[in-house]
Amino acid sequence: QVQLVESGGGLVQTGGSLSLSCAASGSTFSSYTVAWFRQAPGREREFVSAISWSGSKTYSTDSVKGRFTISRDNASKTVYLQMPSLKPEDTAVYYCAADIGPYLRVGISDYHYWGQGTQVTVSS
């Protein structure tokens, strides 16, 4: 099993930047694919970005592709989401999710382990 704790959210203006962290506990973290999801008020939770267990493969949804960067440090059991050039439509609670295995997945049901979320608010 793995426990996940997100941090780094906050309030920024349009065009600002935030860097989210997902700290994991558990001895086999390097065997897990990790993803970020987000949920805006009144909307369903949606996939943002995922990274393979080794960090060699990543995949992001079109709305953040080329703008957000996902990375991981298995030694410190942390996954990061760097978010520059933020827009009001990026406002949401951001969740870290993990599941064992090497494949990148985008479905909510593909991940068994979830953090509590961190709020990101982008003001216009």
Side-chain angles (χ1 to χ4, degrees):
Q1 288 191 345
V2 63
Q3 289 78 45
L4 306 171
V5 179
E6 304 95 334
S7 63
L11 171 65
V12 297
Q13 294 183 334
T14 297
S17 301
L18 285 173
S19 181
L20 305 184
S21 298
C22 173
S25 61
S27 60
T28 59
F29 177 71
S30 59
S31 299
Y32 286 75
T33 291
V34 179
W36 287 95
F37 288 77
R38 66 186 180 184
Q39 187 166 16
R43 302 190 65 175
E44 294 185 352
R45 193 169 299 188
E46 65 174 0
F47 170 81
V48 177
S49 190
I51 188 166
S52 64
W53 64 273
S54 67
S56 62
K57 297 180 180 179
T58 63
Y59 178 76
S60 297
T61 192
D62 286 346
S63 62
V64 307
K65 196 172 294 182
R67 193 161 56 98
F68 291 2
T69 302
I70 189 171
S71 61
R72 69 188 294 164
D73 178 359
N74 284 340
S76 64
K77 299 181 182 180
T78 305
V79 173
Y80 304 95
L81 185 67
Q82 295 178 314
M83 307 186 299
S85 305
L86 284 163
K87 307 174 183 179
E89 51 263 43
D90 295 317
T91 294
V93 177
Y94 283 70
Y95 297 90
C96 176
D99 210 298
I100 200 162
Y103 302 108
L104 300 179
R105 290 154 283 179
V106 302
I108 294 172
S109 60
D110 293 327
Y111 294 88
H112 288 90
Y113 304 102
W114 291 81
Q116 294 301 306
T118 185
Q119 177 70 49
V120 171
T121 304
V122 185
S123 64
S124 58

